[in-house]
Amino acid sequence: MALERRGDGPSACLPGVGRFLAVLAAGCVGGRIGEMGTGVGVGAAWMASAMPVDCRLVTVELDPVRVAAARRVFADDERVEVVHGDSFDELQRRAPFDLVFVDGGRSDRAVELLRIGGRLVFDDVTPVEALPADSPYRTNDPKRDFFFTDPRLVATEVVLPDLRNSLLVGTRVR
Ligand SMILES: C[S@@+](CC[C@H](N)C(=O)[O-])C[C@H]1O[C@@H](n2cnc3c(N)ncnc32)[C@H](O)[C@@H]1O
């Protein structure tokens, strides 16, 4: 299967992404984490499993069935709130965040959700070396363009250990 792009994306983040999110979440002492697109709570579970006891996670999902499933996952964890609604709108009301995982909904204004020093993560990116030779994403990728041209972000691409997937991470500096 070609992994250049995967339609609407998988309903759960890859383990390598989850591990990376957990590393960032573990540093959010007294902090607040937002997730755009809960799915059934896999990415949120990675973050909640690692984040300090005084950290809070708000994750937002449009699909009510997935919201119900994720709420069951976190029923015993009062640090985690699963919100039903549009991810950007709901997180904007609760901003600013120390970490935002963008995985569903409008991403173009996601930097606004961060405090200065906060971090933004996008997944579902294919490393250039793993793209077909004729892929247009080799020279023109909207996600990379967004990350690497926004003057508010210091950003980089992190290639996952499978060498077939990567994510983009940026820190808000202004
Ligand atoms: C790739 S899945 C999320 C996976 C999840 N973040 C994880 O790591 O397990 C994307 C989710 O975003 C949801 N979604 C799409 N548009 C949305 C929006 N505007 N607001 C909230 N959720 C949205 C979809 O219903 C879907 O469940």
Side-chain angles (χ1 to χ4, degrees):
M1 179 180 73
L3 288 177
E4 183 176 348
R5 281 295 185 273
R6 292 173 289 202
D8 291 336
S11 58
C13 66
L14 295 167
V17 175
R19 172 63 60 188
F20 186 84
L21 292 171
V23 169
L24 296 185
C28 289
V29 179
R32 304 175 68 239
I33 300 173
E35 182 182 38
M36 299 177 69
T38 311
V40 294
V42 175
W46 275 102
M47 292 187 277
S49 71
M51 68 191 201
V53 288
D54 59 357
C55 183
R56 296 286 178 269
L57 167 61
V58 182
T59 179
V60 189
E61 171 59 49
L62 212 47
D63 177 345
V65 175
R66 291 180 177 184
V67 170
R71 282 182 176 158
R72 286 195 292 277
V73 171
F74 299 108
D76 296 328
D77 192 339
E78 63 183 20
R79 302 170 305 160
V80 181
E81 181 185 8
V82 182
V83 176
H84 181 212
D86 177 76
S87 54
F88 180 80
D89 291 346
E90 294 297 332
L91 291 186
Q92 189 182 39
R93 284 190 199 110
R94 296 164 172 85
F97 292 92
D98 301 275
L99 170 64
V100 173
F101 177 34
V102 181
D103 205 19
R106 288 170 293 150
S107 57
D108 55 319
R109 293 176 59 193
V111 180
E112 296 172 29
L113 302 173
L114 298 172
R115 67 167 175 79
I116 303 296
R119 294 198 167 105
L120 196 62
V121 177
F122 279 33
D123 70 351
D124 294 333
V125 177
T126 302
V128 170
E129 290 302 319
L131 288 168
D134 60 352
S135 170
Y137 289 110
R138 280 182 172 266
T139 53
N140 181 14
D141 184 325
K143 274 189 180 177
R144 288 189 179 89
D145 290 349
F146 170 84
F147 250 77
F148 294 119
T149 61
D150 191 315
R152 296 168 296 178
L153 289 178
V154 173
T156 192
E157 178 169 344
V158 177
V159 178
L160 298 180
D162 65 9
L163 304 181
R164 300 179 66 184
N165 294 277
S166 58
L167 49 79
L168 304 174
V169 57
T171 300
R172 184 174 184 182
V173 293
R174 61 174 71 97

